[in-house]
Amino acid sequence: VKGVQLMLLIACISTPALACKGLEIEDGWIRQAPPGANVMAGYVRIKNNSDRPRRITAITSPRFGAIEVHETVIENGESQMRALDTLNVPAHGETTLEPGGKHLMLFRPTAPQPTTGDTASLRFRCGKSRPVTAKFIVKATP
Ligand SMILES: [Cu+2]
């Protein structure tokens, strides 16, 4: 019985991170891309109003074939992108995806390609719990 209780305790401690509860997704935008582009970049601020760290495990959208989280790292003096499996948001903190840093890569936009002023709905998943949906607006930037 003790073993089972321990297992349940571990489950209780480790499961809440896999809920999106308390996450607020703000100021999401997608950089306008040239016609025919196979990938677009997206940026957003994710706030965590809960007292537990949150972990986003997947992001999907009906407007894109696949979405990845990337970070930009400098290796041997060169800027490179690396895909992240998950995106962590600290308790009572926030994670910002911005040009030059972490960002979303939105692959294979559905036709017609989203352009300035269009919006795309993105769904953020934290494990199997209820996802959080946010609208991203396409902007042209110099
Ligand atoms: Cu990237």
Side-chain angles (χ1 to χ4, degrees):
V1 175
K2 278 204 171 130
V4 171
Q5 284 174 338
L6 183 62
M7 294 267 288
L8 288 173
L9 184 63
I10 290 169
C12 287
I13 292 168
S14 57
T15 306
L18 286 180
C20 281
K21 212 174 151 210
L23 289 187
E24 265 180 44
I25 296 169
E26 296 181 344
D27 302 332
W29 64 282
I30 296 167
R31 191 192 297 277
Q32 191 191 330
N38 198 35
V39 61
M40 301 174 83
Y43 308 97
V44 68
R45 186 167 70 238
I46 304 166
K47 280 191 188 166
N48 179 1
N49 296 320
S50 79
D51 52 10
R52 291 191 180 273
R54 297 294 181 208
R55 180 180 298 150
I56 293 163
T57 52
I59 306 169
T60 58
S61 171
R63 296 301 308 266
F64 297 94
I67 300 175
E68 289 180 4
V69 180
H70 283 190
E71 65 177 352
T72 305
V73 291
I74 307 291
E75 262 173 25
N76 302 322
E78 277 181 37
S79 176
Q80 300 197 331
M81 298 194 300
R82 186 187 289 159
L84 300 173
D85 286 341
T86 60
L87 185 59
N88 296 318
V89 190
H92 296 295
E94 61 180 49
T95 295
T96 304
L97 280 63
E98 57 196 348
K102 285 186 186 132
H103 55 275
L104 299 179
M105 300 292 284
L106 307 122
F107 295 97
R108 302 189 300 281
T110 58
Q113 180 182 327
T115 187
T116 301
D118 288 346
T119 57
S121 177
L122 269 67
R123 182 167 285 193
F124 292 72
R125 293 191 172 279
C126 309
K128 287 179 177 161
S129 73
R130 200 152 57 99
V132 176
T133 300
K135 279 229 176 337
F136 280 53
I137 187 158
V138 180
K139 288 196 224 173
T141 53

